[in-house]
Amino acid sequence: MNATPALFPRHIAIFVIMGVACAFAANHVAARFAFDHGAGLLLAILCRSGATLLVLAGLVWWQRETLRLPPGTAGWQLLLGLLIAVQSLCLYSAVARIPVALALLISNTFPILLALITWVLGGQPPSKRTAAIMAVCLVGLVLVLDLPTRLAGVDGSDPRWWAGVAFAMVAATVFALGLWITDHKLKSLRGPVRSFMTMAIVVSSMGLAGAAGLVPGGMSWPEGTPGWAGLASLMLLYGVAFSVLFVTLPRLNMAENAPVMNIEPVASLLLGWGLLGQTLAPIQLVGGAVVLSAIVWLAKGK
């Protein structure tokens, strides 16, 4: 008997992936709403990751998975969890400082960074095609960040903006490194167990950071109904998106349909404009289109 689940028809798979991507985008918009109303960064990550950890625990139990790690993987699993904890903190730090769409556009450059990290760590150098895509993506980032205007000193004095951009870049970099570890060091570990362990480390790390007071105001409670609504929404949206993606992943043919996930920054742009009043300049919109095109171009290759 074939245990591999049948793939969804492509139109259904694309619909599911688009729904998941939009839910992830809405989660970040809800996070910004919570931050604007007093919620702490660590508290938001704890709530989001804690809810996801419960879902993963249920999946691990349902699938009767063993939590015993294969020899030689414990250290890599710990490093992966810490990297994802840093990525979560940096991405939410970026969302709290700059427009959500801009933060996601920058953080979604991780496939480009993964190609570079793979090369630096002993893999094949980027092909001419990949190098060309990287150059296109770099041009797009210059436009989406509107660097000529910023560097000229016009509207470029806000340190929160520069900090937000830096946090988004760090988030992209550590996430790419985490993907490299997953692909090269943790292939022998079952996906549900790896995800459960990773999320458990994220929750533990955020809890310890909060108890130690490492992030000022990181454990602050939301102020009033709007803040609580934002916190509850980010938990629900992320939990639903993660669960749907995790459960349906074997039937989505992600090798062919993964570029559809890049609708997330577009959805965040529309949601940020409609719910938060965030806008990007025309040159930034052009740059965003260039970055997204480069990422899709890379994803469509072998």
Side-chain angles (χ1 to χ4, degrees):
M1 181 176 179
N2 187 8
T4 303
L7 295 176
F8 286 132
R10 193 172 189 212
H11 67 281
I12 294 179
I14 289 177
F15 177 79
V16 171
I17 295 170
M18 288 181 65
V20 167
C22 289
F24 278 131
N27 143 74
H28 290 102
V29 173
R32 177 58 183 262
F33 200 77
F35 298 148
D36 287 346
H37 290 84
L41 289 172
L42 297 180
L43 178 66
I45 298 172
L46 267 175
C47 291
R48 185 196 75 174
S49 302
T52 307
L53 182 62
L54 291 177
V55 173
L56 287 169
L59 286 171
V60 169
W61 175 82
W62 178 56
Q63 296 179 1
R64 299 293 191 270
E65 298 281 359
T66 177
L67 296 181
R68 182 177 300 171
L69 296 177
T73 62
W76 291 109
Q77 176 60 71
L78 176 60
L79 179 57
L80 175 63
L82 294 175
L83 287 172
I84 298 303
V86 171
Q87 185 261 348
S88 300
L89 182 59
C90 287
L91 182 54
Y92 268 9
S93 296
V95 165
R97 290 169 170 81
I98 58 179
V100 177
L102 182 57
L104 293 183
L105 276 170
I106 298 171
S107 65
N108 274 15
T109 60
F110 68 84
I112 307 294
L113 296 171
L114 177 58
L116 290 174
I117 289 172
T118 300
W119 176 33
V120 170
L121 295 179
Q124 291 293 324
S127 64
K128 292 181 179 179
R129 173 182 175 275
T130 302
I133 294 173
M134 290 177 180
V136 171
C137 187
L138 181 60
V139 171
L141 282 175
V142 170
L143 295 176
V144 79
L145 296 176
D146 197 7
L147 286 183
T149 301
R150 297 280 176 178
L151 294 176
V154 180
D155 193 31
S157 59
D158 184 4
R160 283 178 57 85
W161 188 91
W162 290 103
V165 170
F167 277 125
M169 285 301 302
V170 173
T173 303
V174 297
F175 188 63
L177 186 55
L179 290 178
W180 184 90
I181 291 173
T182 300
D183 191 42
H184 289 81
K185 302 297 181 180
L186 296 175
K187 272 190 173 181
S188 60
L189 190 57
R190 289 270 296 165
V193 176
R194 183 176 61 240
S195 298
F196 174 80
M197 293 286 189
T198 299
M199 205 56 61
I201 294 170
V202 171
V203 171
S204 301
S205 301
M206 295 300 104
L208 290 173
L214 297 181
V215 179
M219 295 298 290
S220 299
W221 295 104
E223 298 171 357
T225 302
W228 284 105
L231 188 62
S233 296
L234 75 88
M235 291 173 60
L236 177 64
L237 289 164
Y238 187 87
V240 169
F242 185 92
S243 301
V244 170
L245 182 61
F246 198 95
V247 171
T248 62
L249 189 62
R251 306 186 65 182
L252 295 178
N253 191 15
M254 290 299 280
E256 182 177 346
N257 298 323
V260 178
M261 283 295 293
N262 291 299
I263 196 176
E264 182 182 355
V266 179
S268 68
L269 177 64
L270 296 175
L271 291 170
W273 169 72
L275 298 176
L276 299 172
Q278 297 178 342
T279 58
L280 297 180
I283 190 174
Q284 292 178 293
L285 294 177
V286 172
V290 171
V291 172
L292 282 177
S293 299
I295 294 170
V296 172
W297 185 14
L298 180 65
K300 294 297 285 185
K302 292 184 179 180

